[in-house]
Amino acid sequence: MFHGDRLGFNRERLLLYAVTDRGSRGLETFLEQIEEALRGGVTMVQLREKELSGEELVREAVLVRELCHRYGVPLIVNDDVDAALLSGADGVHLGLEDAPVSQVRRRCGADFIIGATAKTVEQARAAFVAGADYLGVGAVFPSPTKKNAVRITAEELERICRSVPVPAVAIGGISPENVGELAGGGMDGIAVVSALFGAEDVRRAAAELKERAREVVGQ
């Protein structure tokens, strides 16, 4: 088990939340893209790797954590609590089908960042009561990385975000062209996948998305 310094959490961390999409890239190219995103100003990184074994995910997460921490940015691992703990990541993001937030909180302690997916007000309130630090709310637009994701309206986004005191990030198909439609949604930032890691110039895309996110959330 890794024992090291974890980076703290506050709502400003959610302004530009990068969710990785490795695709067919080799590890070296993948890490280079993450660093470009960090240089462009992302404020939190979620490592999402569905195809790796547990050991492979831990090894990769260690490399990504070291990279993120050089830029003072927390690393969150998607779904896998064991990999998050073993790699020294700063937290984990739990989907609706994953381990209960309350169970993970008891296991991992107060300084471990826990994010939870919420698509309804009821889910948001349950995650807050269980100890989540932040919510991922969406999908707000059709998502190229999750074809079957349930979409929510702008009105539902606002209701969910305003139903709990913990901060929230909007996710799902967000791009520089459509992010303005989320203004007034009550979220603290945007989570992006393809708009960032599918861009020709990742650093430039991150800088543009961060500026658009500031406009939308009022920071």
Side-chain angles (χ1 to χ4, degrees):
M1 187 74 65
F2 178 92
H3 294 282
D5 293 333
R6 289 194 181 119
L7 297 183
F9 176 76
N10 55 52
R11 63 181 63 241
E12 286 74 25
R13 296 285 196 189
L14 296 181
L15 181 62
L16 182 57
Y17 185 116
V19 181
T20 66
D21 180 18
R22 181 171 174 178
S24 59
R25 301 176 186 89
L27 180 59
E28 186 174 345
T29 301
F30 181 53
L31 293 173
E32 288 172 356
Q33 282 210 316
I34 293 174
E35 184 158 19
E36 285 298 286
L38 291 162
R39 287 174 173 162
V42 300
T43 53
M44 185 174 280
V45 173
Q46 181 190 130
L47 180 62
R48 187 163 70 187
E49 286 277 25
K50 298 289 192 180
E51 307 303 324
L52 297 184
S53 69
E55 289 185 3
E56 290 172 329
L57 178 56
V58 170
R59 286 196 294 269
E60 185 172 297
V62 168
L63 297 174
V64 178
R65 171 184 56 78
E66 291 172 348
L67 182 57
C68 288
H69 282 199
R70 286 210 297 271
Y71 290 84
V73 171
L75 173 67
I76 305 298
V77 173
N78 184 62
D79 295 346
D80 196 319
V81 180
D82 290 334
L85 289 171
L86 289 168
S87 66
D90 302 285
V92 69
H93 187 89
L94 302 171
L96 297 172
E97 314 302 323
D98 296 326
V101 171
S102 57
Q103 176 183 312
V104 176
R105 177 59 72 205
R106 286 193 300 271
R107 177 184 177 191
C108 300
D111 66 337
F112 192 73
I113 303 168
I114 301 177
T117 296
K119 299 179 181 295
T120 66
V121 168
E122 292 73 25
Q123 290 169 356
R125 289 174 175 162
F128 163 63
V129 170
D133 293 295
Y134 74 88
L135 304 177
V137 183
V140 291
F141 299 112
S143 172
T145 58
K146 287 195 173 183
K147 304 291 187 185
N148 299 320
V150 176
R151 285 192 62 193
I152 64 170
T153 66
E155 292 76 17
E156 288 170 328
L157 171 66
E158 183 177 8
R159 281 198 297 272
I160 293 168
C161 291
R162 300 194 188 285
S163 68
V164 291
V166 293
V169 60
I171 188 170
I174 297 172
S175 69
E177 293 73 34
N178 62 25
V179 66
E181 298 175 34
L182 303 178
M187 67 284 177
D188 296 272
I190 58 172
V192 289
V193 188
S194 302
L196 186 58
F197 292 106
E200 289 188 16
D201 188 331
V202 174
R203 190 192 308 193
R204 182 175 178 180
E208 180 182 4
L209 284 160
K210 190 173 186 178
E211 186 58 34
R212 297 291 287 125
R214 279 201 186 96
E215 295 169 2
V216 169
V217 306
Q219 287 190 19

